[in-house]
Amino acid sequence: MSNFSVEIVGGQSTGLILDCVRSSVFENIKLTGGWTSGSSATSIGIKLNAFSSIVTSELNNFKNINVESFYNGIVSIGDILNNNFTGGNISNCYKGFVLGDGSDGFSTGQQYGPRETTIEGITFDNIK
């Protein structure tokens, strides 16, 4: 998927939910949320999910991804594997990347947490 933008009205939604997506490329994408302040765990730019350690989001490349005005920029508590984020910007968010926070360590899909995630050339502006 490439060259598109999504604008979320209100501060309680997720811009892009990836359920067990594998070997995909996401490029030149801008996600804009409506979050401005306060706690809102459901305000997420990109969420990567895993149903198990085998059925998971893995081997994905995110290039020039811009995430703005979400409580959480990019999130995964699941057993995602080998995802790469190269270039882009996360701005006006409470948290930039949230990997493994809230994972319980024993539920299916949360036994290992996010592994081998590469983050390169991402700028962070006004992260709380």
Side-chain angles (χ1 to χ4, degrees):
M1 298 177 72
S2 64
N3 302 314
F4 69 91
S5 62
V6 174
E7 185 172 350
I8 305 295
V9 178
Q12 304 296 318
S13 298
T14 300
L16 190 60
I17 299 173
L18 303 176
D19 288 331
C20 306
V21 175
R22 179 184 168 99
S23 301
S24 296
V25 177
F26 300 88
E27 189 170 22
N28 300 322
I29 297 172
K30 181 176 183 180
L31 302 170
T32 305
W35 179 81
T36 56
S37 65
S39 180
S40 179
T42 58
S43 174
I44 300 169
I46 300 173
K47 184 174 184 183
L48 291 98
N49 292 324
F51 294 143
S52 71
S53 61
I54 297 170
V55 181
T56 186
S57 293
E58 68 177 312
L59 299 168
N60 295 300
N61 289 301
F62 298 85
K63 301 174 184 178
N64 193 35
I65 303 298
N66 294 286
V67 177
E68 180 179 344
S69 300
F70 289 92
Y71 184 80
N72 296 303
I74 297 168
V75 172
S76 183
I77 64 170
D79 296 337
I80 65 169
L81 180 63
N82 198 11
N83 292 283
N84 301 301
F85 294 84
T86 307
N89 179 269
I90 298 176
S91 61
N92 301 317
C93 295
Y94 188 76
K95 299 176 184 178
F97 277 83
V98 182
L99 300 174
D101 186 29
S103 179
D104 63 24
F106 59 86
S107 295
T108 302
Q110 295 182 24
Q111 295 173 327
Y112 306 103
R115 295 169 288 155
E116 300 178 31
T117 300
T118 303
I119 302 166
E120 292 183 276
I122 304 285
T123 57
F124 297 89
D125 297 315
N126 196 30
I127 304 300
K128 307 294 186 236

